[in-house]
Structure formats: structure tokens, C-alpha cells
Amino acid sequence: MVAYGQFLNTVINFLIVAFVIFLVVRVANKLHKPAAAPAPTTKDCPYCCSAIPIPAKRCAHCTSQL
């Protein structure tokens, strides 16, 4: 004979525990702040529009003074 009551009880208990774990993970993710964007390390040359390091005095591509 199949124990329908015990099977149904096990399924309901599993669904309750899974839902509670889902809620706990969801709240934990909301508490975790995203990482801040890193500061830029390059800038664009105003003459040739290529990326160059911020402390550069001359563009490496078009050799213009910045």
C-alpha cells in the first residue's frame, strides 16, 4: 500500500523549506552592496581620440602635447 499522506507531508515540508531558503538568500543579496566602479586609468586624446594613460604629457599615437 502507498502512503499518500506521508508523501504529501514530505513534499509540503520540502516546499516550505525551499521557500524559506529562497527568501533568506534574497535578503542576503539585497544586503550585499555592489562593488564600486574602479577609477578610470585612461583618457581620450583630444586630437586623435585614442586611449592614453591619465598622467601622460604627450599622446603616444599622434605625439601631440596634452
Side-chain angles (χ1 to χ4, degrees):
M1 181 159 271
V2 179
Y4 292 110
Q6 185 179 2
F7 174 73
L8 193 59
N9 188 21
T10 303
V11 169
I12 291 173
N13 283 339
F14 172 78
L15 291 176
I16 291 171
V17 170
F19 183 69
V20 169
I21 290 174
F22 170 75
L23 290 178
V24 168
V25 169
R26 190 171 174 194
V27 169
N29 284 338
K30 283 186 180 180
L31 293 177
H32 182 68
K33 291 187 177 185
T41 58
T42 61
K43 61 182 176 182
D44 288 338
C45 174
Y47 300 104
C48 67
C49 297
S50 61
I52 55 173
I54 290 178
K57 303 288 184 207
R58 282 186 171 263
C59 177
H61 302 284
C62 65
T63 66
S64 63
Q65 289 188 350
L66 302 174

